[in-house]
Amino acid sequence: LILFITSVDCTFPDSEKHLLKSIQSYRKNIVMVINKIDILDMSVGNHGEDTKNKVVQFVTENAADLLGVNPIVIPISDRDGLACKLMKSSKERKLYDIVETK
C-alpha cells in the first residue's frame, strides 16, 4: 500500500506527476490523500463542498491518467481532526465529572 499525500493548495505540480509515474511501476495499491481540505471551507456556498468535490474529482482523474487505475482519494483536514479530538476530550471530561459527583 502506498499513501501519496498531496496538498489542496498545490495539487499536482510536475514533481508530484513525476513521482506518481515512477510509483506506477510498483503496482501497489495507491491511496491519494488530499491534505488541508479545510482551506476550502470558506469557498462560495455550502462550506466549500462544491469546490472540495471538484478538487477530489480533479485529483482522481489526474491520478487515474497517470496510474492507469482509479485510486482511492481521501480528503483530510487537521482542523476536523482537532475538532474531533476536542469533542472526545469534552465528552470524557463530562463523563469524569458525572462519575466524580456520584
Side-chain angles (χ1 to χ4, degrees):
L1 175 67
I2 297 173
L3 289 176
F4 190 93
I5 301 173
T6 188
S7 177
V8 76
D9 57 354
C10 187
T11 307
F12 278 120
D14 288 337
S15 59
E16 287 184 0
K17 290 177 184 177
H18 179 72
L19 186 57
L20 269 178
K21 285 180 184 177
S22 68
I23 288 173
Q24 178 189 21
S25 64
Y26 291 106
R27 292 288 178 206
K28 300 282 184 184
N29 292 327
I30 298 174
V31 175
M32 303 287 299
V33 178
I34 307 171
N35 195 18
K36 302 181 186 178
I37 200 75
D38 55 311
I39 290 174
L40 303 176
D41 283 349
M42 297 304 169
S43 295
V44 178
N46 57 357
H47 300 287
E49 285 303 314
D50 293 338
T51 306
K52 290 175 188 178
N53 291 334
K54 287 178 184 177
V55 169
V56 170
Q57 181 179 358
F58 174 82
V59 170
T60 302
E61 290 172 357
N62 282 278
D65 287 345
L66 293 167
L67 298 170
V69 295
N70 284 329
I72 296 169
V73 178
I74 303 171
I76 63 169
S77 161
D78 62 343
R79 189 179 301 160
D80 291 344
L82 177 60
C84 288
K85 183 177 180 180
L86 292 173
M87 285 183 354
K88 179 182 176 192
S89 177
S90 174
K91 287 178 183 177
E92 288 172 351
R93 278 195 304 272
K94 287 178 184 175
L95 179 60
Y96 178 77
D97 290 344
I98 290 169
V99 172
E100 282 293 306
T101 58
K102 289 189 177 189

